[in-house]
Amino acid sequence: MRLKDFWLKRIDWYIIKKFLGTFVFAITMMIAITVVFDFNEKLDHFMKPEVTVPEIIFDYYLNFIPYFINLFSPLFTFITVILFTSKIADQSEVIAMLSSGISFNRFVVPYLISATIIALASFMLSAYIIPPANVTRIEFQNTYIKNKKVEYARNIQLEVEPGVFAYFDSYNAPSSMGYRFSLDHFEDKKLVSRLTAQSIKYDSLHQWTIIDYMIRDFDGMREHISTGTRKDTTLAFTPSDFLIAVNDSETMTTPELRAHIDRQKKRGMANIQLFEIEYHMRFANIASFFILTLIGVSLSSRKIKGGMGMNIGIGLGLSFSYILFTKITSTFAISGLVSPMVAVWIPNIVYSFITIYVYRKAPR
């Protein structure tokens, strides 16, 4: 196709307006229904005397709505394409467009432009806008609905800095206390110093107080031992590095998420799969908008006997199977069977082949 064939014409603007308008309407209706059901489910919690109306509106629902809009966006992009394309196909508008000399490849251009607008908006929301909002929303849920904070951990081991390793037998967040703490310092893979303590208390950012400690310094065959009751020190980690809740990954912007993953890998932390899944999912979602859009327009652009009910049924089946497939592959990453990046991209790869197949079968 020539470059001028991609210039937007009146028919392109018609499709873009239909696409975006139907998407906004569908997602608005869905969010309205979701809010009603969510409010009804949590009404008992909202009726507590300590919960105020401004907190419910501004701390919870004002941050709840963008989160669910972004969560449902790929699904409703697909449903939107199925709905309005089936409608214009049923009214023979698609046949008229293709009969006028517009190729199917050219016909899908406004669809791809609309999908690009929604995909970029979704990425900006998930990468930079929603994570800070999630902090407030999750804090509200933990305070008034159900506390999902991780406040206790056992057998914690991490690399504080190159050659320095910390170990806790256990840590209790409400008391900010860790028990049976040790700090090992290696040089050239040889242990040169070992600190052990009955307990350690977290004071503030990177500030710790070591209680009832013993330090053993090794110099060849010699060993120097020193003890004490309290020692204030700075350690380059905080309890948030090992007290990890399921939704902690949702509270970080994409740059913060990347930095956290890199930092935890350097420290030898093993429980970072959820963070890696969230990171790669934000980029995989961009591809999902285009895959689902092309499947949707390819399926629904053909006028079929019985109206658009068949298209909607097939579309819903494919969209829900895609979501289910995504959840299944994510569990593979959590269990360690595959890497998070592979697990997140497998559904897009599989559905890319489905896209190619239905696109070739689309009316020409």
Side-chain angles (χ1 to χ4, degrees):
M1 285 186 289
R2 295 167 297 179
L3 182 61
K4 68 177 184 178
D5 291 335
F6 287 94
W7 292 348
L8 296 183
K9 301 174 183 177
R10 183 177 297 179
I11 192 66
D12 298 315
W13 289 113
Y14 171 76
I15 292 174
I16 291 171
K17 289 177 182 178
K18 280 279 189 180
F19 192 140
L20 298 180
T22 306
F23 173 81
V24 171
F25 176 79
I27 202 79
T28 300
M29 292 298 99
M30 180 61 192
I31 292 301
I33 295 170
T34 302
V35 168
V36 170
F37 277 97
D38 185 77
F39 182 83
N40 184 65
E41 181 185 351
K42 296 181 173 64
L43 186 59
D44 291 341
H45 300 287
F46 293 156
M47 295 299 291
K48 294 177 182 178
E50 63 268 25
V51 184
T52 64
V53 173
E55 285 179 315
I56 295 172
I57 296 173
F58 297 107
D59 290 353
Y60 184 64
Y61 280 111
L62 197 63
N63 299 310
F64 171 93
I65 291 172
Y67 171 77
F68 272 85
I69 286 176
N70 194 63
L71 183 65
F72 290 131
S73 287
L75 171 62
F76 273 86
T77 297
F78 188 60
I79 292 174
T80 293
V81 174
I82 292 287
L83 284 174
F84 92 83
T85 308
S86 295
K87 184 177 180 181
I88 64 175
D90 194 52
Q91 295 171 347
S92 300
E93 294 181 44
V94 175
I95 295 175
M97 293 178 197
L98 297 179
S99 299
S100 67
I102 299 176
S103 67
F104 189 77
N105 291 339
R106 178 61 181 81
F107 173 69
V108 302
V109 168
Y111 285 88
L112 295 178
I113 292 173
S114 302
T116 300
I117 293 171
I118 297 173
L120 290 176
S122 176
F123 178 76
M124 293 302 296
L125 281 172
S126 64
Y128 300 103
I129 298 173
I130 291 177
N134 279 342
V135 174
T136 305
R137 178 180 62 85
I138 292 171
E139 183 62 30
F140 179 94
Q141 290 176 310
N142 289 338
T143 304
Y144 300 119
I145 300 174
K146 185 177 181 180
N147 189 359
K148 294 184 178 181
K149 288 182 179 178
V150 176
E151 298 183 333
Y152 185 78
R154 290 189 60 86
N155 298 324
I156 306 154
Q157 183 174 345
L158 69 160
E159 187 175 10
V160 180
E161 56 188 65
V164 180
F165 297 87
Y167 173 81
F168 295 82
D169 180 68
S170 62
Y171 184 85
N172 187 292
S175 63
S176 300
M177 293 294 296
Y179 300 95
R180 296 184 64 184
F181 173 75
S182 66
L183 190 69
D184 296 337
H185 185 190
F186 290 86
E187 290 182 2
D188 297 326
K189 298 182 180 181
K190 293 182 179 180
L191 182 64
V192 296
S193 178
R194 178 177 175 84
L195 180 149
T196 56
Q198 290 299 313
S199 58
I200 182 171
K201 182 176 178 62
Y202 178 66
D203 295 324
S204 59
L205 185 61
H206 302 306
Q207 299 298 316
W208 297 79
T209 299
I210 302 172
I211 303 169
D212 294 332
Y213 66 90
M214 178 177 68
I215 301 174
R216 301 167 63 192
D217 294 313
F218 303 98
D219 182 13
M221 299 298 293
R222 297 181 180 181
E223 178 181 351
H224 176 71
I225 298 176
S226 59
T227 60
T229 55
R230 295 180 68 88
K231 178 181 177 66
D232 295 327
T233 187
T234 300
L235 298 173
F237 64 90
T238 64
S240 62
D241 289 327
F242 48 81
L243 295 177
I244 299 173
V246 173
N247 48 21
D248 282 352
S249 60
E250 299 173 359
T251 65
M252 298 181 183
T253 64
T254 298
E256 291 172 343
L257 203 52
R258 182 71 264 172
H260 177 80
I261 292 169
D262 292 340
R263 185 172 61 252
Q264 295 297 77
K265 282 185 175 180
K266 289 179 180 178
R267 290 176 171 174
M269 301 295 288
N271 55 348
I272 60 172
Q273 289 92 339
L274 290 175
F275 294 89
E276 291 185 291
I277 290 171
E278 175 69 20
Y279 178 80
H280 293 295
M281 185 68 75
R282 293 179 185 181
F283 294 95
N285 275 344
I286 296 176
S288 71
F289 284 101
F290 297 99
I291 291 170
L292 294 175
T293 295
L294 287 174
I295 292 176
V297 70
S298 299
L299 285 175
S300 57
S301 57
R302 187 187 302 274
K303 185 176 181 179
I304 60 175
K305 195 173 182 179
M308 60 182 182
M310 180 66 72
N311 286 336
I312 294 174
I314 295 173
L316 288 175
L318 279 172
S319 59
F320 283 115
S321 67
Y322 176 84
I323 294 171
L324 179 62
F325 194 21
T326 301
K327 297 297 182 184
I328 292 173
T329 55
S330 295
T331 61
F332 292 161
I334 294 172
S335 62
L337 293 176
V338 295
S339 72
M341 184 176 71
V342 172
V344 166
W345 280 94
I346 282 176
N348 283 345
I349 294 170
V350 171
Y351 275 75
S352 293
F353 290 105
I354 297 175
T355 302
I356 294 170
Y357 175 78
V358 297
Y359 189 80
R360 288 180 174 178
K361 294 292 183 179
R364 301 288 166 175

